[in-house]
Amino acid sequence: MKKIFYLFTFIALFLSACNPNEEIYDELDKVADQYHNTVNYTLLAADYSKAANYAKAYAENKADSTMAGYIATFQAFNQQYTGQLFIPSILPALFPAYGKKSAALITYNYFADMPEEYSMYSDAAIIDFEEDDYKTVDSLVGFAGYFYPEFNPDVYLPLVLTDVYPEAASGDLYAVNYLLSDKTPIFPDEATTYWLREGFDTGLGQFDTISIIGTQGWYKTTFGADTYAKMAGFTGGAAYVNEDWLISKPIELGDYDNVVLNFTHAIRYLNDHWEQLSVAISTDYDGDPLTATWDVIDWGEIADTALLGFSYDKYSSGDINIAAYKNQTINIAFKYTSDLENQPTWQIYDVTVFAGSKIIGGTPILKTDYYKLEETSWVKQGDVHYLTSLDYDAMGEPGVNDNFSTTVKPMDYLPKYLDSKHPLAGEGFSAYVVYKYYVNSAIGTKTITDKLTYTSGEWVSSYSFIKTTTEQFLHNGDYWEFDPTVTFAMSTADYQKLVDYVKANIDSKFVDSYGTQEYYYGAGSYKSNFDLRIAPRKTYKIPGFEGLSDADALDKIWESVADGLKKLLSLKYPNAVTEVAGVEVHYYVTIYTYENDLTRHYYTYHFQCTKSGPDPEFTQIGEKVKID
């Protein structure tokens, strides 16, 4: 009917006007102005795809284009391409008939920044405990190279941090990586001297990698509880030609007759092409493996050679005698080659060069604890848990890659983990968990910190990598634009917020016996209004009303209402910000009043956030507007 009415209107204008086209266009503008509405809408997968296409048009390079594409991949906007910027581009197609003054409340997903309270753990500076650090604890700990039951790291780590970091400032936070065994080692009668001990716990460590041919190279990786250096010529479903060297840093051997080399490794897909892999020693290596002289160790000297080449089972090389190099400086190399016919995988788990007998004891594991300098003391953050490879393994499926993902969800596993760590946790107890989250092949894994709180018998997460929000977009007559303005009429719960605040923070004697009305600001939840009568202020002895005329008393009551609304906004929006996407944030609050002359009215107040939360501040803009 409306369309028909408009059609007849246009025909009449055409017949009666001297310049019919101009008048028709004017009338169309009026119609567009008049046709406005407010709509609530949640974006669908197709909407994210359209927004991603718009975002790609603004991409200046491949990296930007990839970030734009993530809008569609994750069905979520990100920090570079925000919803505030690109949702307006898809609204005309979604709501083609909506014109000036129309409002769209759009619910959508976005990549959430971690609060600083959480990111401080994800981004904490890392301290890797090294050989000299263990020696500062005790000679036996230095000899073992790890902590064990008689030397509790909780006791000794703060002492070492104080000694090693005397310039640290109060508030400094570190993630400390160290090795810990649950068994006390048995030390040999003859002291063992180590020149090299590398387990690839924190990277390639005491080894360098040099690629002669091919794009692949040696790299440190993990599987389950194992960390190791790995090289493979078959990746991404394709075979590659490679020559890559994993070479130790210089090792200065002493005058010992029983120097040995020992390493643990796994080989797969070798297919008896032993010439493609070799272990060698050089005494003249200077950075170029092709010009150095290498003594290749015969595979017959390496234990379990016959078992290698078929699986990822680990085997020890056995103790290979290299005493011939005593009193010399050597480099040890693991040389890998592959061709288009054969591409083995070689994994090196640990390499040691030593003289004497080995320590007998439990295998130490890599642990991470957080320590914060509080005044002059280093304090372990006991409610922060950094997940180790063993933790992921204990959870089951997360142990496959030692991370969580969109399919292996953190909250499917973390509650059980925290139950084991805090079996006596009570209501309101909180703990932080730092874990790895796999995003995709381009980004890889991110270090995420989440705070979980024990609530009503279960662990509740405080942070999600992808969150949902609802924001407002307005049509200005020409196009849609983001508008963070918040508009609401006070609800019964809002009035009660002020009542509860006055009772708890100002004075309970200003609240009636029912607990639903306070007269400091005048808010009451029973009638859902502000009581502006003068008499109750005097009855409840609200400060400042003594001796005032009725006119001055009413002015003071209106001032207290404005103050009460500012307090309500700070309670209702504790994390309010002054700007969103460069746009100032304003609040329009509608209240209901019961006035001194016993009439009732509605008013709207306008506020602007002038200081971001926590503890935000709000400033009244203009005067209140009576709307009835």
Side-chain angles (χ1 to χ4, degrees), residues 65-175:
S65 182
T66 299
M67 289 296 290
Y70 288 159
I71 298 174
T73 302
F74 290 95
Q75 295 183 30
F77 292 92
N78 52 60
Q79 294 88 342
Q80 184 171 344
Y81 296 102
T82 65
Q84 295 95 338
L85 285 174
F86 288 96
I87 286 177
S89 64
I90 65 175
L91 294 181
L94 288 172
F95 311 110
Y98 285 34
K100 187 175 181 180
K101 299 180 183 179
S102 291
L105 299 175
I106 305 299
T107 300
Y108 66 91
N109 300 325
Y110 68 100
F111 285 79
D113 285 328
M114 271 187 294
E116 185 177 354
E117 174 191 359
Y118 303 172
S119 61
M120 62 186 289
Y121 297 111
S122 302
D123 301 336
I126 296 174
I127 296 175
D128 293 314
F129 240 60
E130 298 178 348
E131 184 175 352
D132 289 342
D133 298 318
Y134 292 109
K135 288 179 180 178
T136 63
V137 175
D138 183 89
S139 59
L140 289 177
V141 175
F143 185 53
Y146 54 80
F147 289 100
Y148 49 89
E150 282 75 9
F151 291 92
N152 186 339
D154 292 352
V155 175
Y156 291 96
L157 279 177
L159 301 177
V160 176
L161 291 172
T162 299
D163 182 54
V164 177
Y165 296 96
E167 303 301 322
S170 182
D172 283 356
L173 178 74
Y174 290 105

Side-chain angles (χ1 to χ4, degrees), residues 300-330:
E301 298 181 46
I302 299 174
D304 296 322
T305 298
L307 302 175
L308 289 161
F310 304 102
S311 71
Y312 291 117
D313 292 337
K314 294 185 291 183
Y315 293 94
S316 171
S317 67
D319 291 345
I320 302 169
N321 189 337
I322 58 171
Y325 299 95
K326 71 177 184 177
N327 293 319
Q328 298 185 66
T329 298
I330 66 171

Side-chain angles (χ1 to χ4, degrees), residues 104-294:
L105 299 175
I106 305 299
T107 300
Y108 66 91
N109 300 325
Y110 68 100
F111 285 79
D113 285 328
M114 271 187 294
E116 185 177 354
E117 174 191 359
Y118 303 172
S119 61
M120 62 186 289
Y121 297 111
S122 302
D123 301 336
I126 296 174
I127 296 175
D128 293 314
F129 240 60
E130 298 178 348
E131 184 175 352
D132 289 342
D133 298 318
Y134 292 109
K135 288 179 180 178
T136 63
V137 175
D138 183 89
S139 59
L140 289 177
V141 175
F143 185 53
Y146 54 80
F147 289 100
Y148 49 89
E150 282 75 9
F151 291 92
N152 186 339
D154 292 352
V155 175
Y156 291 96
L157 279 177
L159 301 177
V160 176
L161 291 172
T162 299
D163 182 54
V164 177
Y165 296 96
E167 303 301 322
S170 182
D172 283 356
L173 178 74
Y174 290 105
V176 183
N177 295 329
Y178 63 94
L179 294 171
L180 174 66
S181 173
D182 61 352
K183 296 181 181 179
T184 300
I186 300 172
F187 296 96
D189 294 334
E190 180 184 357
T192 303
T193 299
Y194 284 91
W195 288 283
L196 174 67
R197 285 191 299 183
E198 183 54 59
F200 307 104
D201 292 314
T202 57
L204 294 179
Q206 299 176 68
F207 280 80
D208 297 316
T209 178
I210 296 178
S211 182
I212 304 298
I213 300 173
T215 58
Q216 286 66 49
W218 286 95
Y219 63 98
K220 176 256 180 172
T221 187
T222 62
F223 183 81
D226 294 322
T227 59
Y228 48 90
K230 180 178 180 179
M231 179 60 203
F234 187 90
T235 181
Y240 295 91
V241 176
N242 285 278
E243 179 183 335
D244 289 88
W245 296 67
L246 182 68
I247 304 175
S248 74
K249 300 187 187 310
I251 304 168
E252 296 181 11
L253 299 179
D255 188 14
Y256 288 79
D257 293 324
N258 57 343
V259 183
V260 298
L261 163 66
N262 185 292
F263 57 92
T264 303
H265 63 149
I267 302 173
R268 192 173 184 187
Y269 309 119
L270 185 61
N271 301 317
D272 288 328
H273 287 267
W274 292 98
E275 73 280 2
Q276 293 186 258
L277 309 179
S278 59
V279 184
I281 297 174
S282 176
T283 58
D284 63 0
Y285 172 68
D286 62 358
D288 185 353
L290 300 183
T291 61
T293 302
W294 294 97

